[in-house]
Amino acid sequence: MKKDLIVSELKDARYLEEIVTMHRDIFLGTELYGKLMYFDENFPDYFKKVLESKNDYIVGVFKDESIMGFLHLKKIEKTLFLNNIFFKEEIRGGGIGTDTLREVLTKPFVTLEGFEYLELDVFESNVLAKKWYNKLGLLDVSTSDWYFLQSKKKEDCNGDFKINEDINNFKSLYYNDHKVATFVNDSYIIAHDTIALQYKSSAQFIYRTVKNENAIVNNMKFDSSTRMRGNISSIIDKIQCLISK
């Protein structure tokens, strides 16, 4: 780790505004900018809860007391899921990602919680990130395709659907009391189930599905993502080898 950078776990909302902005900056120049839950007006309030959650770890990277990057990891049994990682342009390069990940994975909470694996999703269009994760020893587990879609219904068939807030206060679409989609500022709908596509709306749907699971027209696909997984102790060893070269 560069001497002028400090990695520290966050547990309060002191840097909330900066972290919300960094979440959004992750998607600058991509098809998903402005279209995910990170851009919803309720996201800042939701992320306050994340900072207090025992199942989430938010780690900040600081320079001269200014936050310059962050990692968000989620606890899923014996697996740490890397939900998001971002560094401001001023500190990128020079192995900052590798150094930060090593420092995080060797923190006491990893051993105390008995975490064995690191998992993450990466878009295929993010070639450099995918190459980096491969270098660290993470292997492909599965692939998903991402689509932009419009409602399939020509007529008003919304009788089985209800709109309500979910437990995190996001406006959500329910079908027979089962949540099937999340609204993003009423402009986009993130579909979690194909039944959501039957809801009549002028908003654009974003749908993620296991690769080739459904016969969706290819020209509606805008990207694919890969789920990657690696053993934490092996990743630490790989990082050590890379640093010592």
Side-chain angles (χ1 to χ4, degrees):
M1 177 59 62
K2 294 179 180 178
K3 291 181 180 179
D4 57 346
L5 296 178
I6 296 172
V7 176
S8 178
E9 192 175 348
L10 303 178
K11 284 296 183 184
D12 58 48
R14 194 181 320 169
Y15 298 96
L16 179 65
E17 185 176 339
E18 292 96 325
I19 292 177
V20 168
T21 298
M22 286 190 283
H23 271 92
R24 295 168 178 173
D25 286 349
I26 289 172
F27 298 95
L28 280 170
T30 75
E31 295 274 8
L32 288 169
Y33 187 82
K35 300 171 184 176
L36 296 177
M37 61 179 288
Y38 310 117
F39 299 88
D40 190 85
E41 61 184 11
N42 291 313
F43 180 69
D45 287 334
Y46 161 73
F47 203 73
K48 285 181 185 177
K49 299 177 185 176
V50 172
L51 285 163
E52 298 169 356
S53 170
K54 293 181 180 179
N55 294 318
D56 294 84
Y57 303 91
I58 313 300
V59 179
V61 181
F62 297 87
K63 181 179 180 180
D64 299 329
E65 298 186 7
S66 296
I67 189 163
M68 305 298 289
F70 80 98
L71 292 84
H72 175 193
L73 300 114
K74 299 178 73 70
K75 176 182 179 180
I76 306 174
E77 296 181 345
K78 297 298 182 182
T79 296
L80 264 179
F81 188 86
L82 182 57
N83 203 49
N84 279 306
I85 179 171
F86 178 82
F87 302 103
K88 290 185 178 179
E89 192 172 353
E90 302 96 289
I91 66 168
R92 291 177 195 165
I96 180 63
T98 303
D99 284 349
T100 303
L101 190 59
R102 178 185 63 168
E103 185 151 344
V104 170
L105 293 180
T106 55
K107 283 190 175 295
F109 79 85
V110 177
T111 302
L112 290 171
E113 293 284 353
F115 292 120
E116 298 178 11
Y117 302 99
L118 179 72
E119 286 191 11
L120 54 89
D121 289 329
V122 59
F123 281 106
E124 289 185 4
S125 58
N126 195 348
V127 177
L128 290 178
K130 180 71 159 51
K131 186 177 179 181
W132 177 51
Y133 294 131
N134 280 138
K135 210 174 194 179
L136 298 180
L138 282 86
L139 302 176
D140 295 2
V141 174
S142 61
T143 304
S144 299
D145 290 330
W146 290 70
Y147 297 87
F148 288 137
L149 303 168
Q150 296 300 138
S151 173
K152 290 182 178 179
K153 285 293 182 184
K154 303 290 185 183
E155 305 295 333
D156 190 346
C157 297
N158 295 344
D160 294 320
F161 292 99
K162 293 179 182 178
I163 295 175
N164 211 334
E165 288 189 350
D166 65 11
I167 59 172
N168 294 310
N169 302 119
F170 286 107
K171 182 179 176 182
S172 302
L173 180 67
Y174 289 82
Y175 181 79
N176 292 340
D177 296 323
H178 173 63
K179 180 177 173 178
V180 294
T182 305
F183 290 83
V184 179
N185 297 328
D186 289 322
S187 299
Y188 302 95
I189 302 175
I190 302 171
H192 312 303
D193 189 305
T194 52
I195 194 67
L197 304 176
Q198 302 297 319
Y199 177 72
K200 185 181 177 184
S201 175
S202 59
Q204 187 176 57
F205 286 87
I206 299 170
Y207 183 59
R208 170 185 178 176
T209 182
V210 175
K211 195 172 184 68
N212 300 323
E213 181 183 54
N214 295 306
I216 298 176
V217 180
N218 280 335
N219 63 11
M220 296 177 180
K221 186 176 84 171
F222 65 90
D223 210 337
S224 295
S225 62
T226 301
R227 173 67 55 89
M228 303 186 74
R229 177 183 174 95
N231 179 276
I232 289 175
S233 60
S234 297
I235 293 170
I236 294 170
D237 289 343
K238 282 272 189 182
I239 292 174
Q240 197 57 48
C241 288
L242 291 171
I243 292 173
S244 61
K245 284 184 179 180

